[in-house]
Amino acid sequence: MEGIVPVVRPMVQTIVTSGRVIQRRQSDLGALIAGTVAEVLVEDGDRVEADALLVRLADEDALANLADAEAAVTEADARLARVQGYGRRMAEQALRQATAEARQAETDFRRQKALAGTGAVSELSFERARRDRDQAISRRISASLEVAAAAPKGSDVALAAAALSRAQARLTAAQVAVEHTRIRAPLPGVVLKRHVERGEVVQPGEPLVTFAGDGPLQVRIQPDESNLALLREGQGALVSAEAFPEQRLKASISRIAPSVDPMRGTVEVDLDIDDESDLRPDMTVTVEIEVGRKSSALVVPASAIRDLGSDAPWVLVADDGEAERRAVKLGLEGDNLVEVTSGLTPDDRVLPATLLVEEGDPVRLRRRGGGDAIDVPEDG
């Protein structure tokens, strides 16, 4: 068996993983209330404008409440207008009349009082004049209060205005309730998938439509969290779609999720694509991210490293006729090659990990076709 000769050569480390094309503004649209689907107005792939109606829930009760609230607003508005207009004019007219009556009653009282002093009228007539005067004054005071209440800042206007505000608030709530039965497009875009049919009962938050707003496409991958230290925003990558395997599109990392999925041990990574013309949402793609490159690296096959992936990798090398254990430090890692940053030199001969040799066993190198071979004594 030939010994493994460490080689100095260029080295590139990449992460290769699969992912999917996503719309940057893709989202699942759902209802805020429970209800029964009355209409689904779109099909998969439909392009819609902003605010377009996609799904309508049963809305009979909501529309009835809306009509009642609209009527209440009309009534309250009319009441306020009456207080501010006709009501104020009537109060002012009543005050003028009450003032005139009070003036006349005061004149009659004074005349009756003068006549009573001469004995020309009875005491009963005098008391009746007094009573009429007092009642007229009371009516004038009441009319004055009515005028004040009907004034722009009066209590009647304030009460009517408050009633109108309450009615308008009810109307707003009723309008919102009706709108909760409508699922609309938040912006121009494409319906990727409808999830419900007419007659289905849906719950709050349940996806009804998957919607993609107009905007650039992205690629989303979920590499293992062990690769997190190798990734950074702005890192270049190549993307190839299964539908167009001959194309390798340039991309770059635009976002690395701040948390790791605890169930799968993966991290969500988004990439921007330079040319997305041939891509479609939900396409499966292969992504190759270059995470390291060296023009001159000492490399050996990964199969030569023992305890690869542990904190203490090591190799066996042939040294003075014996198998010697060497601790090594590793750098870049490729599919089949790894970089050794310390522990080996180009002059060393590494014993393959598949060879049944232990530390201290005798080994002998010999030449074979320009390369080194290793002979292991049978008693070794």
mmCIF file with all atom_site columns, all heavy atoms in Angstrom, residues 233-259:
data_model
loop_
_atom_site.group_PDB
_atom_site.id
_atom_site.type_symbol
_atom_site.label_atom_id
_atom_site.label_alt_id
_atom_site.label_comp_id
_atom_site.label_asym_id
_atom_site.label_entity_id
_atom_site.label_seq_id
_atom_site.pdbx_PDB_ins_code
_atom_site.Cartn_x
_atom_site.Cartn_y
_atom_site.Cartn_z
_atom_site.occupancy
_atom_site.B_iso_or_equiv
_atom_site.pdbx_formal_charge
_atom_site.auth_seq_id
_atom_site.auth_comp_id
_atom_site.auth_asym_id
_atom_site.auth_atom_id
_atom_site.pdbx_PDB_model_num
ATOM 1   N N   . GLU A 1 233 ? -22.575 37.635 6.317   1.00 0.00 ? 233 GLU A N   1
ATOM 2   C CA  . GLU A 1 233 ? -23.308 38.391 5.304   1.00 0.00 ? 233 GLU A CA  1
ATOM 3   C C   . GLU A 1 233 ? -22.351 38.929 4.249   1.00 0.00 ? 233 GLU A C   1
ATOM 4   O O   . GLU A 1 233 ? -21.237 39.344 4.558   1.00 0.00 ? 233 GLU A O   1
ATOM 5   C CB  . GLU A 1 233 ? -24.088 39.526 5.954   1.00 0.00 ? 233 GLU A CB  1
ATOM 6   C CG  . GLU A 1 233 ? -25.237 39.052 6.837   1.00 0.00 ? 233 GLU A CG  1
ATOM 7   C CD  . GLU A 1 233 ? -26.059 40.194 7.380   1.00 0.00 ? 233 GLU A CD  1
ATOM 8   O OE1 . GLU A 1 233 ? -25.790 41.360 6.987   1.00 0.00 ? 233 GLU A OE1 1
ATOM 9   O OE2 . GLU A 1 233 ? -26.966 39.943 8.200   1.00 0.00 ? 233 GLU A OE2 1
ATOM 10  N N   . GLY A 1 234 ? -22.810 38.903 2.999   1.00 0.00 ? 234 GLY A N   1
ATOM 11  C CA  . GLY A 1 234 ? -21.990 39.353 1.880   1.00 0.00 ? 234 GLY A CA  1
ATOM 12  C C   . GLY A 1 234 ? -21.183 38.252 1.232   1.00 0.00 ? 234 GLY A C   1
ATOM 13  O O   . GLY A 1 234 ? -20.562 38.468 0.176   1.00 0.00 ? 234 GLY A O   1
ATOM 14  N N   . GLN A 1 235 ? -21.152 37.067 1.827   1.00 0.00 ? 235 GLN A N   1
ATOM 15  C CA  . GLN A 1 235 ? -20.387 35.947 1.286   1.00 0.00 ? 235 GLN A CA  1
ATOM 16  C C   . GLN A 1 235 ? -20.973 35.527 -0.062  1.00 0.00 ? 235 GLN A C   1
ATOM 17  O O   . GLN A 1 235 ? -22.188 35.437 -0.235  1.00 0.00 ? 235 GLN A O   1
ATOM 18  C CB  . GLN A 1 235 ? -20.451 34.781 2.266   1.00 0.00 ? 235 GLN A CB  1
ATOM 19  C CG  . GLN A 1 235 ? -19.157 34.035 2.440   1.00 0.00 ? 235 GLN A CG  1
ATOM 20  C CD  . GLN A 1 235 ? -19.174 33.230 3.735   1.00 0.00 ? 235 GLN A CD  1
ATOM 21  O OE1 . GLN A 1 235 ? -20.220 32.932 4.280   1.00 0.00 ? 235 GLN A OE1 1
ATOM 22  N NE2 . GLN A 1 235 ? -18.014 32.900 4.230   1.00 0.00 ? 235 GLN A NE2 1
ATOM 23  N N   . GLY A 1 236 ? -20.086 35.247 -1.019  1.00 0.00 ? 236 GLY A N   1
ATOM 24  C CA  . GLY A 1 236 ? -20.533 34.851 -2.353  1.00 0.00 ? 236 GLY A CA  1
ATOM 25  C C   . GLY A 1 236 ? -20.966 33.399 -2.399  1.00 0.00 ? 236 GLY A C   1
ATOM 26  O O   . GLY A 1 236 ? -20.552 32.562 -1.591  1.00 0.00 ? 236 GLY A O   1
ATOM 27  N N   . ALA A 1 237 ? -21.812 33.084 -3.377  1.00 0.00 ? 237 ALA A N   1
ATOM 28  C CA  . ALA A 1 237 ? -22.308 31.725 -3.541  1.00 0.00 ? 237 ALA A CA  1
ATOM 29  C C   . ALA A 1 237 ? -22.717 31.518 -4.987  1.00 0.00 ? 237 ALA A C   1
ATOM 30  O O   . ALA A 1 237 ? -22.863 32.474 -5.756  1.00 0.00 ? 237 ALA A O   1
ATOM 31  C CB  . ALA A 1 237 ? -23.502 31.469 -2.616  1.00 0.00 ? 237 ALA A CB  1
ATOM 32  N N   . LEU A 1 238 ? -22.892 30.252 -5.362  1.00 0.00 ? 238 LEU A N   1
ATOM 33  C CA  . LEU A 1 238 ? -23.395 29.875 -6.685  1.00 0.00 ? 238 LEU A CA  1
ATOM 34  C C   . LEU A 1 238 ? -24.660 29.061 -6.485  1.00 0.00 ? 238 LEU A C   1
ATOM 35  O O   . LEU A 1 238 ? -24.730 28.175 -5.629  1.00 0.00 ? 238 LEU A O   1
ATOM 36  C CB  . LEU A 1 238 ? -22.358 29.057 -7.461  1.00 0.00 ? 238 LEU A CB  1
ATOM 37  C CG  . LEU A 1 238 ? -21.088 29.806 -7.883  1.00 0.00 ? 238 LEU A CG  1
ATOM 38  C CD1 . LEU A 1 238 ? -20.096 28.849 -8.532  1.00 0.00 ? 238 LEU A CD1 1
ATOM 39  C CD2 . LEU A 1 238 ? -21.431 30.945 -8.846  1.00 0.00 ? 238 LEU A CD2 1
ATOM 40  N N   . VAL A 1 239 ? -25.663 29.379 -7.281  1.00 0.00 ? 239 VAL A N   1
ATOM 41  C CA  . VAL A 1 239 ? -26.968 28.735 -7.162  1.00 0.00 ? 239 VAL A CA  1
ATOM 42  C C   . VAL A 1 239 ? -27.298 28.051 -8.477  1.00 0.00 ? 239 VAL A C   1
ATOM 43  O O   . VAL A 1 239 ? -27.159 28.641 -9.553  1.00 0.00 ? 239 VAL A O   1
ATOM 44  C CB  . VAL A 1 239 ? -28.062 29.772 -6.825  1.00 0.00 ? 239 VAL A CB  1
ATOM 45  C CG1 . VAL A 1 239 ? -29.440 29.120 -6.848  1.00 0.00 ? 239 VAL A CG1 1
ATOM 46  C CG2 . VAL A 1 239 ? -27.795 30.417 -5.479  1.00 0.00 ? 239 VAL A CG2 1
ATOM 47  N N   . SER A 1 240 ? -27.724 26.812 -8.406  1.00 0.00 ? 240 SER A N   1
ATOM 48  C CA  . SER A 1 240 ? -28.173 26.092 -9.605  1.00 0.00 ? 240 SER A CA  1
ATOM 49  C C   . SER A 1 240 ? -29.524 25.454 -9.304  1.00 0.00 ? 240 SER A C   1
ATOM 50  O O   . SER A 1 240 ? -29.705 24.821 -8.264  1.00 0.00 ? 240 SER A O   1
ATOM 51  C CB  . SER A 1 240 ? -27.165 25.022 -10.020 1.00 0.00 ? 240 SER A CB  1
ATOM 52  O OG  . SER A 1 240 ? -26.935 24.105 -8.965  1.00 0.00 ? 240 SER A OG  1
ATOM 53  N N   . ALA A 1 241 ? -30.473 25.657 -10.217 1.00 0.00 ? 241 ALA A N   1
ATOM 54  C CA  . ALA A 1 241 ? -31.814 25.111 -10.055 1.00 0.00 ? 241 ALA A CA  1
ATOM 55  C C   . ALA A 1 241 ? -31.907 23.755 -10.732 1.00 0.00 ? 241 ALA A C   1
ATOM 56  O O   . ALA A 1 241 ? -31.270 23.515 -11.763 1.00 0.00 ? 241 ALA A O   1
ATOM 57  C CB  . ALA A 1 241 ? -32.853 26.070 -10.650 1.00 0.00 ? 241 ALA A CB  1
ATOM 58  N N   . GLU A 1 242 ? -32.700 22.873 -10.150 1.00 0.00 ? 242 GLU A N   1
ATOM 59  C CA  . GLU A 1 242 ? -32.872 21.564 -10.756 1.00 0.00 ? 242 GLU A CA  1
ATOM 60  C C   . GLU A 1 242 ? -33.478 21.684 -12.148 1.00 0.00 ? 242 GLU A C   1
ATOM 61  O O   . GLU A 1 242 ? -33.209 20.862 -13.026 1.00 0.00 ? 242 GLU A O   1
ATOM 62  C CB  . GLU A 1 242 ? -33.754 20.691 -9.859  1.00 0.00 ? 242 GLU A CB  1
ATOM 63  C CG  . GLU A 1 242 ? -33.084 20.297 -8.550  1.00 0.00 ? 242 GLU A CG  1
ATOM 64  C CD  . GLU A 1 242 ? -33.941 19.340 -7.745  1.00 0.00 ? 242 GLU A CD  1
ATOM 65  O OE1 . GLU A 1 242 ? -35.051 19.006 -8.213  1.00 0.00 ? 242 GLU A OE1 1
ATOM 66  O OE2 . GLU A 1 242 ? -33.504 18.922 -6.652  1.00 0.00 ? 242 GLU A OE2 1
ATOM 67  N N   . ALA A 1 243 ? -34.310 22.718 -12.351 1.00 0.00 ? 243 ALA A N   1
ATOM 68  C CA  . ALA A 1 243 ? -34.929 22.902 -13.666 1.00 0.00 ? 243 ALA A CA  1
ATOM 69  C C   . ALA A 1 243 ? -33.924 23.388 -14.706 1.00 0.00 ? 243 ALA A C   1
ATOM 70  O O   . ALA A 1 243 ? -34.106 23.155 -15.910 1.00 0.00 ? 243 ALA A O   1
ATOM 71  C CB  . ALA A 1 243 ? -36.083 23.897 -13.558 1.00 0.00 ? 243 ALA A CB  1
ATOM 72  N N   . PHE A 1 244 ? -32.843 24.051 -14.273 1.00 0.00 ? 244 PHE A N   1
ATOM 73  C CA  . PHE A 1 244 ? -31.820 24.563 -15.191 1.00 0.00 ? 244 PHE A CA  1
ATOM 74  C C   . PHE A 1 244 ? -30.440 24.198 -14.639 1.00 0.00 ? 244 PHE A C   1
ATOM 75  O O   . PHE A 1 244 ? -29.685 25.071 -14.202 1.00 0.00 ? 244 PHE A O   1
ATOM 76  C CB  . PHE A 1 244 ? -31.942 26.087 -15.341 1.00 0.00 ? 244 PHE A CB  1
ATOM 77  C CG  . PHE A 1 244 ? -33.323 26.555 -15.694 1.00 0.00 ? 244 PHE A CG  1
ATOM 78  C CD1 . PHE A 1 244 ? -34.155 27.112 -14.721 1.00 0.00 ? 244 PHE A CD1 1
ATOM 79  C CD2 . PHE A 1 244 ? -33.815 26.420 -16.983 1.00 0.00 ? 244 PHE A CD2 1
ATOM 80  C CE1 . PHE A 1 244 ? -35.430 27.539 -15.032 1.00 0.00 ? 244 PHE A CE1 1
ATOM 81  C CE2 . PHE A 1 244 ? -35.095 26.857 -17.310 1.00 0.00 ? 244 PHE A CE2 1
ATOM 82  C CZ  . PHE A 1 244 ? -35.904 27.403 -16.333 1.00 0.00 ? 244 PHE A CZ  1
ATOM 83  N N   . PRO A 1 245 ? -30.101 22.922 -14.646 1.00 0.00 ? 245 PRO A N   1
ATOM 84  C CA  . PRO A 1 245 ? -28.852 22.487 -14.001 1.00 0.00 ? 245 PRO A CA  1
ATOM 85  C C   . PRO A 1 245 ? -27.597 23.036 -14.653 1.00 0.00 ? 245 PRO A C   1
ATOM 86  O O   . PRO A 1 245 ? -26.545 23.097 -14.029 1.00 0.00 ? 245 PRO A O   1
ATOM 87  C CB  . PRO A 1 245 ? -28.920 20.955 -14.118 1.00 0.00 ? 245 PRO A CB  1
ATOM 88  C CG  . PRO A 1 245 ? -29.838 20.700 -15.274 1.00 0.00 ? 245 PRO A CG  1
ATOM 89  C CD  . PRO A 1 245 ? -30.844 21.804 -15.254 1.00 0.00 ? 245 PRO A CD  1
ATOM 90  N N   . GLU A 1 246 ? -27.704 23.473 -15.902 1.00 0.00 ? 246 GLU A N   1
ATOM 91  C CA  . GLU A 1 246 ? -26.517 23.997 -16.575 1.00 0.00 ? 246 GLU A CA  1
ATOM 92  C C   . GLU A 1 246 ? -26.205 25.430 -16.164 1.00 0.00 ? 246 GLU A C   1
ATOM 93  O O   . GLU A 1 246 ? -25.103 25.927 -16.417 1.00 0.00 ? 246 GLU A O   1
ATOM 94  C CB  . GLU A 1 246 ? -26.707 23.926 -18.100 1.00 0.00 ? 246 GLU A CB  1
ATOM 95  C CG  . GLU A 1 246 ? -27.701 24.913 -18.687 1.00 0.00 ? 246 GLU A CG  1
ATOM 96  C CD  . GLU A 1 246 ? -29.159 24.526 -18.465 1.00 0.00 ? 246 GLU A CD  1
ATOM 97  O OE1 . GLU A 1 246 ? -29.390 23.416 -17.930 1.00 0.00 ? 246 GLU A OE1 1
ATOM 98  O OE2 . GLU A 1 246 ? -30.053 25.325 -18.814 1.00 0.00 ? 246 GLU A OE2 1
ATOM 99  N N   . GLN A 1 247 ? -27.141 26.111 -15.520 1.00 0.00 ? 247 GLN A N   1
ATOM 100 C CA  . GLN A 1 247 ? -26.927 27.490 -15.097 1.00 0.00 ? 247 GLN A CA  1
ATOM 101 C C   . GLN A 1 247 ? -26.411 27.525 -13.663 1.00 0.00 ? 247 GLN A C   1
ATOM 102 O O   . GLN A 1 247 ? -26.915 26.814 -12.800 1.00 0.00 ? 247 GLN A O   1
ATOM 103 C CB  . GLN A 1 247 ? -28.232 28.292 -15.178 1.00 0.00 ? 247 GLN A CB  1
ATOM 104 C CG  . GLN A 1 247 ? -28.773 28.459 -16.580 1.00 0.00 ? 247 GLN A CG  1
ATOM 105 C CD  . GLN A 1 247 ? -30.030 29.314 -16.599 1.00 0.00 ? 247 GLN A CD  1
ATOM 106 O OE1 . GLN A 1 247 ? -30.513 29.751 -15.556 1.00 0.00 ? 247 GLN A OE1 1
ATOM 107 N NE2 . GLN A 1 247 ? -30.562 29.565 -17.776 1.00 0.00 ? 247 GLN A NE2 1
ATOM 108 N N   . ARG A 1 248 ? -25.409 28.363 -13.434 1.00 0.00 ? 248 ARG A N   1
ATOM 109 C CA  . ARG A 1 248 ? -24.888 28.598 -12.078 1.00 0.00 ? 248 ARG A CA  1
ATOM 110 C C   . ARG A 1 248 ? -24.944 30.100 -11.845 1.00 0.00 ? 248 ARG A C   1
ATOM 111 O O   . ARG A 1 248 ? -24.159 30.862 -12.404 1.00 0.00 ? 248 ARG A O   1
ATOM 112 C CB  . ARG A 1 248 ? -23.465 28.050 -11.923 1.00 0.00 ? 248 ARG A CB  1
ATOM 113 C CG  . ARG A 1 248 ? -23.437 26.522 -11.914 1.00 0.00 ? 248 ARG A CG  1
ATOM 114 C CD  . ARG A 1 248 ? -22.031 25.957 -12.019 1.00 0.00 ? 248 ARG A CD  1
ATOM 115 N NE  . ARG A 1 248 ? -21.184 26.295 -10.885 1.00 0.00 ? 248 ARG A NE  1
ATOM 116 C CZ  . ARG A 1 248 ? -21.197 25.643 -9.716  1.00 0.00 ? 248 ARG A CZ  1
ATOM 117 N NH1 . ARG A 1 248 ? -22.031 24.627 -9.533  1.00 0.00 ? 248 ARG A NH1 1
ATOM 118 N NH2 . ARG A 1 248 ? -20.393 25.979 -8.740  1.00 0.00 ? 248 ARG A NH2 1
ATOM 119 N N   . LEU A 1 249 ? -25.911 30.499 -11.051 1.00 0.00 ? 249 LEU A N   1
ATOM 120 C CA  . LEU A 1 249 ? -26.201 31.913 -10.840 1.00 0.00 ? 249 LEU A CA  1
ATOM 121 C C   . LEU A 1 249 ? -25.446 32.444 -9.627  1.00 0.00 ? 249 LEU A C   1
ATOM 122 O O   . LEU A 1 249 ? -25.387 31.785 -8.585  1.00 0.00 ? 249 LEU A O   1
ATOM 123 C CB  . LEU A 1 249 ? -27.703 32.111 -10.628 1.00 0.00 ? 249 LEU A CB  1
ATOM 124 C CG  . LEU A 1 249 ? -28.625 31.512 -11.705 1.00 0.00 ? 249 LEU A CG  1
ATOM 125 C CD1 . LEU A 1 249 ? -30.081 31.683 -11.306 1.00 0.00 ? 249 LEU A CD1 1
ATOM 126 C CD2 . LEU A 1 249 ? -28.358 32.164 -13.049 1.00 0.00 ? 249 LEU A CD2 1
ATOM 127 N N   . LYS A 1 250 ? -24.904 33.638 -9.768  1.00 0.00 ? 250 LYS A N   1
ATOM 128 C CA  . LYS A 1 250 ? -24.192 34.254 -8.661  1.00 0.00 ? 250 LYS A CA  1
ATOM 129 C C   . LYS A 1 250 ? -25.185 34.767 -7.622  1.00 0.00 ? 250 LYS A C   1
ATOM 130 O O   . LYS A 1 250 ? -26.253 35.291 -7.959  1.00 0.00 ? 250 LYS A O   1
ATOM 131 C CB  . LYS A 1 250 ? -23.317 35.403 -9.161  1.00 0.00 ? 250 LYS A CB  1
ATOM 132 C CG  . LYS A 1 250 ? -22.141 34.943 -10.006 1.00 0.00 ? 250 LYS A CG  1
ATOM 133 C CD  . LYS A 1 250 ? -21.284 36.138 -10.399 1.00 0.00 ? 250 LYS A CD  1
ATOM 134 C CE  . LYS A 1 250 ? -20.069 35.689 -11.205 1.00 0.00 ? 250 LYS A CE  1
ATOM 135 N NZ  . LYS A 1 250 ? -19.206 36.830 -11.587 1.00 0.00 ? 250 LYS A NZ  1
ATOM 136 N N   . ALA A 1 251 ? -24.812 34.617 -6.367  1.00 0.00 ? 251 ALA A N   1
ATOM 137 C CA  . ALA A 1 251 ? -25.661 35.076 -5.264  1.00 0.00 ? 251 ALA A CA  1
ATOM 138 C C   . ALA A 1 251 ? -24.766 35.495 -4.109  1.00 0.00 ? 251 ALA A C   1
ATOM 139 O O   . ALA A 1 251 ? -23.545 35.283 -4.131  1.00 0.00 ? 251 ALA A O   1
ATOM 140 C CB  . ALA A 1 251 ? -26.627 33.975 -4.830  1.00 0.00 ? 251 ALA A CB  1
ATOM 141 N N   . SER A 1 252 ? -25.362 36.097 -3.112  1.00 0.00 ? 252 SER A N   1
ATOM 142 C CA  . SER A 1 252 ? -24.614 36.498 -1.916  1.00 0.00 ? 252 SER A CA  1
ATOM 143 C C   . SER A 1 252 ? -25.538 36.432 -0.714  1.00 0.00 ? 252 SER A C   1
ATOM 144 O O   . SER A 1 252 ? -26.752 36.654 -0.823  1.00 0.00 ? 252 SER A O   1
ATOM 145 C CB  . SER A 1 252 ? -24.040 37.911 -2.067  1.00 0.00 ? 252 SER A CB  1
ATOM 146 O OG  . SER A 1 252 ? -25.082 38.857 -2.254  1.00 0.00 ? 252 SER A OG  1
ATOM 147 N N   . ILE A 1 253 ? -24.969 36.129 0.447   1.00 0.00 ? 253 ILE A N   1
ATOM 148 C CA  . ILE A 1 253 ? -25.761 36.018 1.673   1.00 0.00 ? 253 ILE A CA  1
ATOM 149 C C   . ILE A 1 253 ? -26.221 37.409 2.100   1.00 0.00 ? 253 ILE A C   1
ATOM 150 O O   . ILE A 1 253 ? -25.415 38.327 2.244   1.00 0.00 ? 253 ILE A O   1
ATOM 151 C CB  . ILE A 1 253 ? -24.938 35.360 2.794   1.00 0.00 ? 253 ILE A CB  1
ATOM 152 C CG1 . ILE A 1 253 ? -24.621 33.909 2.422   1.00 0.00 ? 253 ILE A CG1 1
ATOM 153 C CG2 . ILE A 1 253 ? -25.689 35.414 4.119   1.00 0.00 ? 253 ILE A CG2 1
ATOM 154 C CD1 . ILE A 1 253 ? -23.762 33.191 3.451   1.00 0.00 ? 253 ILE A CD1 1
ATOM 155 N N   . SER A 1 254 ? -27.535 37.547 2.291   1.00 0.00 ? 254 SER A N   1
ATOM 156 C CA  . SER A 1 254 ? -28.097 38.834 2.709   1.00 0.00 ? 254 SER A CA  1
ATOM 157 C C   . SER A 1 254 ? -28.588 38.819 4.148   1.00 0.00 ? 254 SER A C   1
ATOM 158 O O   . SER A 1 254 ? -28.711 39.859 4.780   1.00 0.00 ? 254 SER A O   1
ATOM 159 C CB  . SER A 1 254 ? -29.258 39.227 1.788   1.00 0.00 ? 254 SER A CB  1
ATOM 160 O OG  . SER A 1 254 ? -30.284 38.238 1.831   1.00 0.00 ? 254 SER A OG  1
ATOM 161 N N   . ARG A 1 255 ? -28.894 37.623 4.673   1.00 0.00 ? 255 ARG A N   1
ATOM 162 C CA  . ARG A 1 255 ? -29.407 37.568 6.044   1.00 0.00 ? 255 ARG A CA  1
ATOM 163 C C   . ARG A 1 255 ? -29.074 36.219 6.666   1.00 0.00 ? 255 ARG A C   1
ATOM 164 O O   . ARG A 1 255 ? -29.206 35.177 6.014   1.00 0.00 ? 255 ARG A O   1
ATOM 165 C CB  . ARG A 1 255 ? -30.923 37.752 6.074   1.00 0.00 ? 255 ARG A CB  1
ATOM 166 C CG  . ARG A 1 255 ? -31.525 37.787 7.481   1.00 0.00 ? 255 ARG A CG  1
ATOM 167 C CD  . ARG A 1 255 ? -33.040 37.825 7.426   1.00 0.00 ? 255 ARG A CD  1
ATOM 168 N NE  . ARG A 1 255 ? -33.586 36.519 7.061   1.00 0.00 ? 255 ARG A NE  1
ATOM 169 C CZ  . ARG A 1 255 ? -33.954 35.584 7.935   1.00 0.00 ? 255 ARG A CZ  1
ATOM 170 N NH1 . ARG A 1 255 ? -33.840 35.800 9.237   1.00 0.00 ? 255 ARG A NH1 1
ATOM 171 N NH2 . ARG A 1 255 ? -34.453 34.433 7.527   1.00 0.00 ? 255 ARG A NH2 1
ATOM 172 N N   . ILE A 1 256 ? -28.623 36.254 7.899   1.00 0.00 ? 256 ILE A N   1
ATOM 173 C CA  . ILE A 1 256 ? -28.421 35.044 8.694   1.00 0.00 ? 256 ILE A CA  1
ATOM 174 C C   . ILE A 1 256 ? -29.305 35.177 9.924   1.00 0.00 ? 256 ILE A C   1
ATOM 175 O O   . ILE A 1 256 ? -29.223 36.157 10.657  1.00 0.00 ? 256 ILE A O   1
ATOM 176 C CB  . ILE A 1 256 ? -26.953 34.869 9.106   1.00 0.00 ? 256 ILE A CB  1
ATOM 177 C CG1 . ILE A 1 256 ? -26.054 34.773 7.858   1.00 0.00 ? 256 ILE A CG1 1
ATOM 178 C CG2 . ILE A 1 256 ? -26.777 33.627 9.975   1.00 0.00 ? 256 ILE A CG2 1
ATOM 179 C CD1 . ILE A 1 256 ? -24.568 34.754 8.171   1.00 0.00 ? 256 ILE A CD1 1
ATOM 180 N N   . ALA A 1 257 ? -30.197 34.217 10.123  1.00 0.00 ? 257 ALA A N   1
ATOM 181 C CA  . ALA A 1 257 ? -31.157 34.302 11.240  1.00 0.00 ? 257 ALA A CA  1
ATOM 182 C C   . ALA A 1 257 ? -30.414 34.425 12.571  1.00 0.00 ? 257 ALA A C   1
ATOM 183 O O   . ALA A 1 257 ? -29.359 33.816 12.761  1.00 0.00 ? 257 ALA A O   1
ATOM 184 C CB  . ALA A 1 257 ? -32.052 33.073 11.249  1.00 0.00 ? 257 ALA A CB  1
ATOM 185 N N   . PRO A 1 258 ? -30.957 35.204 13.501  1.00 0.00 ? 258 PRO A N   1
ATOM 186 C CA  . PRO A 1 258 ? -30.284 35.403 14.788  1.00 0.00 ? 258 PRO A CA  1
ATOM 187 C C   . PRO A 1 258 ? -30.423 34.223 15.735  1.00 0.00 ? 258 PRO A C   1
ATOM 188 O O   . PRO A 1 258 ? -29.796 34.218 16.797  1.00 0.00 ? 258 PRO A O   1
ATOM 189 C CB  . PRO A 1 258 ? -30.992 36.646 15.355  1.00 0.00 ? 258 PRO A CB  1
ATOM 190 C CG  . PRO A 1 258 ? -32.347 36.620 14.729  1.00 0.00 ? 258 PRO A CG  1
ATOM 191 C CD  . PRO A 1 258 ? -32.163 36.038 13.359  1.00 0.00 ? 258 PRO A CD  1
ATOM 192 N N   . SER A 1 259 ? -31.241 33.228 15.373  1.00 0.00 ? 259 SER A N   1
ATOM 193 C CA  . SER A 1 259 ? -31.439 32.081 16.264  1.00 0.00 ? 259 SER A CA  1
ATOM 194 C C   . SER A 1 259 ? -31.361 30.786 15.459  1.00 0.00 ? 259 SER A C   1
ATOM 195 O O   . SER A 1 259 ? -31.465 30.795 14.234  1.00 0.00 ? 259 SER A O   1
ATOM 196 C CB  . SER A 1 259 ? -32.786 32.181 16.988  1.00 0.00 ? 259 SER A CB  1
ATOM 197 O OG  . SER A 1 259 ? -33.848 32.194 16.048  1.00 0.00 ? 259 SER A OG  1
#
